[in-house]
Amino acid sequence: MIIIAGLGNPGNQYAGNRHNIGFMAVDALRRLPSFTPWSRKFKAEISEGEIAGEKILLMKPLTFMNLSGESVGEAMRFYKLAPGDIIAIHDELDLPAGRARIKTGGGHGGHNGLKSLDAHCGKEYRRLRLGIGHPGEKDRVHGHVLGDFAKADKAWLDPLLDAIADNAAMLVKSEDSQLMNKLALATGAKAEVEKPAKAAKPAAQSHIHQARNHAQPKKLPETGPMAEMLKRMFGKKDG
C-alpha cells in the first residue's frame, strides 16, 4: 500500500487557502474512478482505491497542519509501512506559483506539516511540493499562506490539479521526470528535469599536444619514382 497524504487545515474557512493546496490535490485524486467516498479513520478523512495496480490510501489529516504526522504516522504503523511508502503533497513558499518539484527526504524548510511528519514517520518519505510563491517580505508570509488563492490563480491551479490526477500513475510508479514534464506542460511552466550525468571527457591536452597528435608526419616513400624525385630535391649536393 502507498499512502498519499495531502497536507492542509480542516474546515470551510481554510478550504481555499494556499496552505491547503495539498488537500486540493488529494481531492482531485479521489475523483478518479476507483476511489471510495471519504470516510473517517486515523484522525483523517480517508479514501481507498487503486492506481497503476497499487493499493492507495488517500489521506487528509484532520489534526490541523502542525499535527499532520500524528494522523499519517498512525496509518503508517497500522499498515506496517515504511516512510518510503508515503507521498506527502504540500504547499511550497520557495517555488513560484504553479511550479512543482518532487524529492525523497530532505529538510522541512520551516513547514510545520513536514516537521510533524518527520517526527512521527521519519524523513525518508516522498514530497510533491507545489509552489504557491513568496509574498516577498517575511512579515507577509503568514497572511499569504493562510490567504485564499486569487481568481487569477485559477489559470494555473486548476490545470495543475487536473494534471496530478491525470498522471497519478507516474506519481505512484516514481516516474518523476515524466511527471514533472506533464505538470510543467499543464501550467505553461518550463520543465526543470534533472539531467543524467554526462560521460567523462578524456583528459584535456594542450593545443601543442593536440596539434602534434593530428599532424604526425607521414612516412616518406623510400623506393619508386617519388623517392627518386625527393632525393633530387632534398638530397645533399656534392661539395
Side-chain angles (χ1 to χ4, degrees), residues 3 10 12 16 18 50 53 57 61 67 71-72 78 99-100 106 116 126-127 132 136 139 158 174 178-179 183 206 212:
I3 293 174
N12 290 335
R18 294 179 180 88
E50 189 176 289
L57 180 71
L67 300 175
S71 170
V72 179
F78 180 85
R99 296 287 182 90
S116 183
R126 294 173 68 214
R127 304 120 189 266
I132 60 169
D139 59 1
D158 289 348
S174 298
Q178 296 95 315
L179 178 62
L183 300 190
S206 70
R212 284 175 179 165

Side-chain angles (χ1 to χ4, degrees), residues 131-147:
I132 60 169
H134 197 287
E137 298 172 7
K138 190 174 181 180
D139 59 1
R140 293 174 55 203
V141 165
H142 186 266
H144 177 75
V145 168
L146 293 181

